[in-house]
Amino acid sequence: MARARFHSLPVAEVRPLTAASVEVTFAVPDELRGEYDYLPGQHVALRAHVDGRELRRSYSLCRPPEPGRISVAIKRDLGGAFSTWATSELRPGDAIDVMSPQGTFTLDSERMQDRHIAGIAAGSGITPLMALAGSVLAASSTSSFTLVYTNRTAVDVMFLEELADLKDRYPARLALHHVLSREQRSAPLLSGRIDEERLRRMLDTLLPPDTVDEWFLCGPFELVQLCRDVLEEYGVARERIHFELFTTGEPGEPRGDVGHPVVVHEGERTAEIEFRLDGLTSTVTTPVDANESVLNAALRVRPDVPFACTGGVCGTCRARLVSGDVRMTENYALEPEELERGYVLTCQSHPLTDRVVVDYDV
């Protein structure tokens, strides 16, 4: 699999979804179409320069694959520099850098046949599930999709009309349950925050786990972790539970490293980090006491090293550990089989040995 790369793509359309969110569609030129083939559920990193700063954020693709177009949904976050700019300033005709798609929160065509897929989403976590649900229902007349989608109020629901259209198109095979935490619905089960007690009642009535082949969870850390824990208690195998986060639930923690300066003092114990990127090998020295991540060290000598969220969520900075040992602080992106093959998230990896070698190209 080739490493994902940035290309400048023109904005074809910016469409309001709610008062705080938009769908942004990019036009993909013919010569780059192969670079932007994707599976439903994958994401792209966006890069833009705003007020003299380079900003990067990762967003899920929200439409089933369509040649020549890719779409993401962006919800404005309180204090979010990129999302505020994108939802208020981005216009058709603008061009920004879009990384080619990546991610493992996916289904291939074979796993869409004769299956019952369930999704639980909160807020902007609906984005990858829009692509997954539409693709599953279109791919097989014997497959079904159940979606539990929670928001604060009805006006916060992204893709409200699209979800209704999908329900009209597949009335017998799409079960759609809107849960509102701050509005009363006619069904008490669908009114209020999804806590453990409410989730268990849903699984006992609306969505029996033994009827589901695969689960897709997307939302804040607390909800995703709750669903994973409860589903495992119900006997669902971990490999059948897929998840993606749009926040790690640690807003007070540093957002990661972006290449900030590190000074190596004479006589200080150091570690050597060697990394391969685009066929070129580079080496950088890092002070052990600085507890610097591999990504931050690499960015000091190669500003083109791939990254996006720097929080261990998106997987853009993924590389294979060739030698040495690292401590990975967080991991919300790599699957167990990727860990077994030696992959690490360099934004979360800190050297434990005097020399560490990673390869971004494999």
Side-chain angles (χ1 to χ4, degrees), residues 324-345:
D325 196 13
V326 299
R327 173 180 57 85
M328 195 156 56
T329 309
E330 302 284 4
N331 170 37
Y332 304 104
L334 297 178
E335 297 288 342
E337 56 268 25
E338 292 178 293
L339 296 173
E340 290 176 7
R341 285 155 49 202
Y343 285 96
V344 297
L345 301 175

Side-chain angles (χ1 to χ4, degrees), residues 273-293:
I273 297 172
E274 179 183 305
F275 62 96
R276 183 176 178 82
L277 176 67
D278 293 338
L280 299 176
T281 299
S282 303
T283 302
V284 60
T285 299
T286 181
V288 171
D289 290 342
N291 195 35
E292 186 180 25
S293 72

Side-chain angles (χ1 to χ4, degrees), residues 5-258:
R5 301 176 187 278
F6 280 111
H7 299 281
S8 179
L9 296 183
V11 175
E13 183 182 3
V14 178
R15 187 174 68 90
L17 296 174
T18 67
S21 63
V22 296
E23 179 184 19
V24 180
T25 298
F26 298 94
V28 179
D30 290 344
E31 64 270 19
L32 290 177
R33 285 192 179 182
E35 297 276 345
Y36 289 91
D37 289 339
Y38 67 93
L39 293 173
Q42 289 192 300
H43 60 265
V44 294
L46 306 183
R47 179 174 66 186
H49 289 83
V50 180
D51 297 329
R53 298 167 55 203
E54 179 185 289
L55 301 178
R56 302 187 186 198
R57 296 294 183 270
S58 194
Y59 293 99
S60 294
L61 296 156
C62 59
R63 299 281 180 179
E66 178 185 352
R69 293 166 67 87
I70 60 169
S71 299
V72 299
I74 301 175
K75 183 177 181 180
R76 184 169 60 249
D77 297 320
L78 183 63
F82 190 99
S83 64
T84 300
W85 169 79
T87 54
S88 60
E89 303 294 333
L90 203 56
R91 297 288 185 270
D94 293 344
I96 64 174
D97 294 335
V98 182
M99 186 172 279
S100 42
Q102 54 188 329
T104 58
F105 190 68
T106 59
L107 279 175
D108 57 32
S109 57
E110 183 177 336
R111 288 162 59 210
M112 294 183 191
Q113 305 298 316
D114 193 26
R115 311 279 274 179
H116 179 200
I117 308 300
I120 301 177
S124 58
I126 188 61
T127 308
L129 293 181
M130 285 295 300
L132 283 163
S135 298
V136 167
L137 294 168
S140 171
S141 62
T142 57
S143 288
S144 60
F145 201 103
T146 300
L147 175 61
V148 176
Y149 182 24
T150 179
N151 287 276
R152 293 181 179 180
T153 68
V155 298
D156 297 315
V157 178
M158 299 170 65
F159 296 107
L160 181 61
E161 293 182 4
E162 288 78 5
L163 287 167
D165 290 344
L166 206 60
K167 179 62 177 174
D168 289 341
R169 199 179 316 151
Y170 305 104
R173 296 194 289 122
L174 174 62
L176 176 60
H177 305 288
H178 286 286
V179 182
L180 301 179
S181 63
R182 296 187 181 180
E183 274 186 25
Q184 194 67 30
R185 302 210 64 207
S186 57
L189 184 58
L190 304 181
S191 304
R193 186 175 64 86
I194 297 182
D195 55 14
E196 182 175 348
E197 186 271 336
R198 190 180 304 277
L199 176 61
R200 289 182 182 276
R201 282 197 287 140
M202 288 179 174
L203 297 178
D204 291 337
T205 56
L206 298 179
L207 194 49
D210 59 2
T211 69
V212 177
D213 294 296
E214 296 194 60
W215 296 80
F216 286 82
L217 317 172
C218 190
F221 177 83
E222 293 82 0
L223 177 64
V224 169
Q225 192 61 51
L226 170 65
C227 292
R228 292 177 71 198
D229 290 344
V230 172
L231 286 172
E232 288 186 23
E233 285 185 30
Y234 274 71
V236 179
R238 176 162 290 210
E239 59 268 21
R240 290 168 51 206
I241 305 172
H242 314 279
F243 71 95
E244 188 162 87
L245 306 176
F246 58 72
T247 172
T248 62
E250 299 290 347
E253 293 296 315
R255 284 301 307 272
D257 303 313
V258 291

